[in-house]
Amino acid sequence: MSSRLKGRTALVTGATSNIGRAIAEAFAAEGAHVVVSGRSAARGEEVVDGIRARGGRADFVQATLDGSAAASQDLAREAARVLGGRIDVLVNNAGIFPSNTTETADEKTFDQVYAVNVKAPFFLTAAVAPAMAEAGGGAIINLGSWIARLGIPISALYSSTKGAMETLTRAWSAEFGPRGVRVNAISPGVVVTPAPGQVHPGEVMMKGTPAGRVGTPDAIANAAVYLAGDESAFVHGIVLDVDGGRTTVAVIAG
């Protein structure tokens, strides 16, 4: 076990699977005491048990982040209590991804996606960041997406929420950075949990990129460890692309 985050506490939302789980596991492996948060107690306890089995510190706090200020505030309060009174690192990862088009997205879905993907992290940050500042500082990491900046003909609703989170990253950096709270974002590319012998439909989206393949959750977790730790002490308000080059590079065969 390494110690880049030794002595720090962290709250990771949506940490019961995929990217959120990988981030929670990576933080714990680096010495942080992590609150794993999500809707499923069974999956949450599985993550916590795995972390503890490897010698890490973790606890599960169940939360349904529906966009209400109360739900976000309750999570902030309970996570701080479990972590001994403070949250040093917040990862706003929880989100929902409906695969629809502008024509097929109804108003109920629109409201739900914005509630979970934007309102919930907005009010969670509002509850956590001032306490971080009062305690002497901290780090907030938001999850954006490559499709917030590279348009594709589906999921306009989802991509717009991730664009909002990337904008909030810069606004919060200006608001809380001078008070000691660094705010940055990670923009993942096509990321999947590998399944032996299976080809993921997202593979086609990574054709023509330098990586030439989909990414795995640990790639995003490694970036999160960097943004949470001392190595990024001079990094404020960025969106770190961890996308295999998808949004910036086109590989053209000769």
Side-chain angles (χ1 to χ4, degrees), residues 5-240:
L5 301 178
K6 185 177 180 180
R8 300 189 191 177
T9 62
L11 166 59
V12 183
T13 68
T16 59
S17 64
N18 204 22
I19 289 174
R21 176 173 184 162
I23 292 174
E25 292 173 341
F27 280 7
E30 292 290 345
H33 181 184
V34 182
V35 159
V36 172
S37 180
R39 291 175 296 176
S40 170
R43 290 193 302 174
E45 293 298 345
E46 179 189 349
V47 177
V48 167
D49 288 346
I51 289 172
R52 290 176 177 173
R54 293 185 291 274
R57 296 182 67 197
D59 292 279
F60 175 68
V61 174
Q62 190 169 27
T64 299
L65 295 175
D66 57 7
S68 67
S72 292
Q73 291 162 359
D74 287 347
L75 174 58
R77 188 180 306 110
E78 180 61 12
R81 184 193 68 78
V82 169
L83 293 170
R86 75 179 200 278
I87 299 169
D88 297 320
V89 183
L90 167 64
V91 180
N92 285 313
N93 168 72
I96 54 176
F97 182 97
S99 182
N100 53 26
T101 65
T102 302
E103 291 178 279
T104 60
D106 57 28
E107 186 175 5
K108 181 180 178 181
T109 301
F110 184 101
D111 290 343
Q112 182 184 25
V113 175
Y114 263 85
V116 175
N117 293 9
V118 182
K119 283 185 68 180
F122 182 94
F123 286 113
L124 185 56
T125 298
V128 171
M132 282 183 175
E134 187 175 342
I140 296 174
I141 303 167
N142 299 319
L143 269 292
S145 172
W146 66 283
I147 60 173
R149 278 166 291 130
L150 181 65
I152 62 174
I154 58 172
S155 302
L157 175 56
Y158 174 82
S159 65
S160 70
T161 66
K162 291 305 181 179
M165 289 307 299
E166 293 188 5
T167 297
L168 284 170
T169 296
R170 293 182 285 271
W172 285 337
S173 181
E175 185 174 356
F176 298 113
R179 298 162 62 185
V181 180
R182 294 186 302 106
V183 186
N184 294 289
I186 300 170
S187 176
V190 181
V191 172
V192 299
T193 301
Q198 294 185 13
V199 177
H200 192 272
E203 292 278 1
V204 68
M205 296 184 183
M206 294 303 292
K207 290 185 180 295
T209 67
R213 59 174 177 80
V214 298
T216 54
D218 63 300
I220 312 306
N222 291 336
V225 169
Y226 165 70
L227 290 176
D230 292 337
E231 294 133 314
S232 61
F234 200 52
V235 179
H236 290 260
I238 70 160
V239 177
L240 178 59

